[in-house]
Amino acid sequence: MSVAISPTAPGAPAPTTDGAIRVWDPVTCTATLTGHTKMLNSLAISPVGAWLANTGDDGTVWVWSVAEGSIAAVARADGLLAASAWGTINELVVGGRRGLYLFELLT
């Protein structure tokens, strides 16, 4: 599992083994984002801090709007997804058991 921080996004998101993301300020949990059905593996905040992407054992990648705390996109891949990284503001690279995937977030 990984955590993600950004100089422009508020709080620090951290994955949990129950598939949720908990967003922390220095002391308390300020939000819980749910959706995955299995353990989370990676978190990545977009370069400008607008999007939070996460991958999990359930083979899905979720993209959240940081400002609204709402789901912007969900995509399914074939098998476990273990890593994620933003290439540009709207391009997300995700790695899993079956290879690499490139997602483009259309806004």
Side-chain angles (χ1 to χ4, degrees), residues 43-98:
L43 297 174
I45 297 178
S46 66
V48 295
W51 309 107
L52 169 66
N54 59 290
T55 63
D57 283 355
D58 61 3
T60 60
V61 55
W62 292 61
V63 177
W64 302 83
S65 164
V66 172
E68 298 174 20
S70 61
I71 299 167
V74 178
R76 179 169 297 283
D78 190 16
L80 175 145
L81 295 175
S84 58
W86 289 92
T88 65
I89 292 171
N90 65 340
E91 291 180 340
L92 179 67
V93 179
V94 175
R97 284 193 177 151
R98 306 222 185 238

Side-chain angles (χ1 to χ4, degrees), residues 3 10 16 27 30 34 39-40 44-45 52 56 59 67 80 84 88-89 91 93 96 103 107:
V3 295
T16 64
V27 178
T30 59
T34 60
M39 187 173 85
L40 298 178
I45 297 178
L52 169 66
L80 175 145
S84 58
T88 65
I89 292 171
E91 291 180 340
V93 179
F103 296 100
T107 57

Side-chain angles (χ1 to χ4, degrees), residues 8-44:
T8 58
T16 64
T17 56
D18 66 359
I21 300 169
R22 296 205 177 26
V23 181
W24 295 86
D25 68 12
V27 178
T28 59
C29 179
T30 59
T32 300
L33 309 175
T34 60
H36 280 276
T37 58
K38 295 184 179 178
M39 187 173 85
L40 298 178
N41 294 318
S42 72
L43 297 174

